[in-house]
DNA sequence: GATGAATGAGATTTCATTCAT
DNA sequence: AATGAATGAAATCTCATTCAT
């Protein structure tokens, strides 16, 4: 008869509303203060008590994970939309759209791709399809791999984090450069691409390297 | 073999040794735990008391600054060496060499380019010279600017931070991609480059965005 | 029985109790150990965690200020009561009553009169009225000024701090002497009185001289 | 031929000089920063290493004690001079002269009268003689005791510490008031004087109440 | 004897998390 | 269910004192 509050079953209406207020507040606070912002501040901005925050998210970590899941969810949707693009342009459209979207969530991007979550795998699979399609239409060089695109995401992350507050569009220019490098060319890229297995490890380890203890 | 970057008067022999131990320990600890690592831990790893650390570096900030100055100093030297390369290959040599060097200092790279320090300006000037030379020899596209190269540094930073512990050479593949994008091409890059003035602002703001308050 | 001096909204019942415990503990600890006593010790004596202390008083300074405000508040009340005394005896009554009260708070008296707080001004105005009234009834010499009375407060402070633990009533004898000096006399006091403006400066500077940096 | 500054044996010439430099520096630093000033700062101002300071004074405490002994020594000399004054004016002369002298050493006055040192007893005995003489000439009321004068010293201390930085002569006016109170009068002082034995205890305890541990 | 580098206990303050109201 | 008071571990930094050079 009692509802279960966690992922599985639906929340009571006010509880669901609080959950959303908290996520919104977290986005704002993390963007303003970085991920060292205190949970108390997030609760304050959300207009709820800190106890409520902890009832919704048993841990600061859990709150961040929820945010990331939101972003990934949107990103997956963008990738799905891009897959339906004609003439192999889906990949470029996706890179542009997802970067633009992430530019609104700079505060915790660093954590974005860390989860070894199923959703990340989904995104990667969709990207792989986009890549195949783009190559098929001759838009992208043949020696470019799916893992190269993951590295490109980290690359855009680095640029975003550095430039966002002052030059919110600088990443577009950098994406130009990346895409120029992906175009078909006479000579192959000198070094071998990262293997998918290694990338898995990267994503799994990433978390540890950010949260020491 | 590392030179002491400090100016004042020479330190006593044992003091100089402790100073170096502390810097080495800081590199290790920051790499392992990120920049939130405690100074106590650094002192412990260095095998000295915490008071000694604070005698040498009156603030955690000062310790980080010293590390950064060491890296910048080495980077400047690399750029100067690269300037003497023939046939316009200096730029690529520098990008490769400095990235390889920075791969050893991932823990606090984020802070690296923040200082509006004279040394950063020196590096940027040297890079500008390398770029001119590379264009002159037809190795690099004409619409590439000096600020594009700064963004490329942030880009490599992002890749380094994400991949280093697990795939310590992944950045080389990404650098391939970046350089491929810098090669002369039929079409110009679609977006306008970041202005040098904006880049200045980026570097000045960078710090704040990392250390919220 | 002590009133809560804070303004905002009423505290929860238990919180208010803790607040009072902390103030009481602070009085005790400061009296026993002087104002260099650690906040940790105060929390321990109050029987609460140190985090609780910092929730109630965000700074050691704030804790001391709260204590001082309590004392000043009581002192103002005493002065108001004294003003209603007949026959010009209010001044002497006030000096006696406020000294007796302050004898219970020796630990931080030094800080007491430092604030350029509105409350201190109120006390001084009330004292001035008491002085006028006492002169009118011929109890006090005409060349005595309001600033002389402020100096007399510092004087009593000095005696209190020195004698309190061992001879808790010694200040009464000294007050006798001071009052004897204030009685009408043939000859004026040789030196000129401190100007009110100078006293203002004294009160403003007092703090600095106690907390060096 | 060499004067003995310390208790036991004579110091070498440079050692004696360092000792004096340190005492002078301590006076200055304590006056500027209060007694919480660090020993390192004192050594710096004295122009010697901190090791030298600790060779001369095995403890910060010891350094302060030495300062106090210097002041007491001068004060004794002043009292001896005063004793030779004619017509019972010695007491007033002494009070004025010693206050003026102490005004130059406000930084650690609080500690001044704390030692249960022989010198303090000497001062008190001399003051007692001055008091007898002053009474004999009818300048001072008969119910004033020697302990009242000790309290008056604390009283002046309180005024000095509060006013010195801003109104360096305010103590003179307060001394006027004290002396006015000491003049012969019709009515006795209402309260009984502090007994000499109690005063002994006051002086002995004073120290403890200032240095908690 | 002099120096100042090294030491480490201790002080203040923050913040994720728990739990009484 | 919601609140926010309480908690205490941990972090940075200071300073009296010791001891190698």
């Amino acid at each position: 008869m009692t509802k279960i509050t966690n992922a599985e079953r639906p929340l009571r209406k006010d509880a669901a509303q609080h959950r959303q207020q908290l996520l919104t507040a977290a986005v704002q606070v993390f963007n303003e203060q970085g991920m060292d912002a205190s949970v108390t501040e997030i609760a304050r901005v959300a207009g709820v008590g800190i106890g409520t925050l902890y009832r919704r998210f048993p841990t600061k970590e859990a709150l961040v994970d929820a945010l990331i899941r939101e972003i990934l969810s949107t990103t997956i949707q963008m990738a799905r939309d891009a897959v339906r693009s004609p003439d192999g342009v889906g990949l470029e459209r996706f890179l542009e759209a997802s970067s633009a979207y992430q530019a609104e969530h700079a505060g915790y991007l660093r954590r974005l791709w860390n989860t070894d979550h199923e959703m990340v795998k989904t995104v990667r699979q969709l990207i792989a399809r986009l890549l195949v399609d783009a190559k098929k239409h001759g838009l992208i060089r043949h020696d470019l791999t799916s893992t190269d695109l993951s590295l490109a995401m980290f690359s855009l992350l680095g640029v975003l984090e550095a430039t966002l507050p002052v030059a919110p569009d600088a990443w577009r220019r950098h994406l130009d450069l990346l895409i120029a490098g992906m175009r078909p060319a006479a000579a192959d890229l000198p070094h071998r691409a990262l293997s998918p297995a290694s990338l898995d490890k990267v994503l799994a380890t990433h978390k540890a390297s950010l949260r020491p203890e």
Side-chain angles (χ1 to χ4, degrees), chain A:
Chain A
M1 174 120 341
T2 32
K3 295 250 186 66
I4 300 183
T5 343
N6 207 349
E8 314 314 342
R9 334 265 175 97
L11 293 172
R12 261 181 37 185
K13 198 170 53 179
D14 55 347
Q17 183 189 342
H18 281 163
R19 198 187 129 88
Q20 200 49 52
Q21 285 169 357
L22 282 164
L23 288 173
T24 305
V27 169
Q28 175 187 332
V29 171
F30 283 146
N31 276 346
E32 283 169 9
Q33 313 192 11
M35 275 213 3
D36 290 349
S38 77
V39 291
T40 306
E41 175 70 2
I42 293 173
R44 200 184 58 72
V45 170
V48 304
I50 187 176
T52 304
L53 186 155
Y54 269 85
R55 167 163 284 272
R56 251 355 111 213
F57 305 98
T59 254
K60 190 182 187 182
E61 187 77 8
L63 173 57
V64 174
D65 282 354
L67 284 180
I68 288 178
R69 224 166 289 139
E70 266 208 347
I71 301 190
L72 284 178
S73 167
T74 305
T75 305
I76 288 176
Q77 196 48 54
M78 288 174 162
R80 290 215 171 100
D81 292 350
V83 164
R84 290 198 300 273
S85 299
D87 307 324
V89 300
L91 179 62
E92 292 169 49
R93 282 194 189 162
F94 167 74
L95 287 174
E96 200 261 344
S98 66
S99 295
Y101 175 63
Q102 287 178 29
E104 293 163 19
H105 300 273
Y108 43 95
L109 284 183
R110 191 95 330 222
R111 297 290 288 285
L112 181 57
W113 299 104
N114 102 35
T115 349
D116 45 1
H117 199 279
E118 203 58 33
M119 303 176 91
V120 175
K121 289 187 186 140
T122 304
V123 174
R124 283 168 60 194
Q125 285 163 4
L126 288 165
I127 291 182
R129 283 177 57 185
L130 292 167
L131 177 59
V132 167
D133 190 45
K135 284 184 185 172
K136 198 180 302 172
H137 287 81
L139 294 177
I140 298 291
R141 58 196 310 158
H142 280 92
D143 58 343
L144 197 85
T145 69
S146 183
T147 58
D148 287 326
L149 290 171
S150 287
L151 294 194
M153 305 290 274
F154 289 124
S155 162
L156 281 161
L157 232 66
V159 173
L160 275 174
E161 290 193 347
T163 60
L164 205 49
V166 168
D169 278 334
W171 63 268
R172 292 180 188 277
R173 172 78 175 183
H174 186 66
L175 181 53
D176 288 347
L177 180 64
L178 290 174
I179 290 180
M182 297 179 189
R183 294 280 181 233
D188 279 357
L189 297 175
H191 295 92
R192 203 175 317 168
L194 193 63
S195 75
S198 291
L199 183 59
D200 283 340
K201 271 193 237 155
V202 165
L203 297 182
T205 325
H206 200 183
K207 183 177 225 153
S209 89
L210 289 168
R211 308 223 104 208
E213 43 215 331

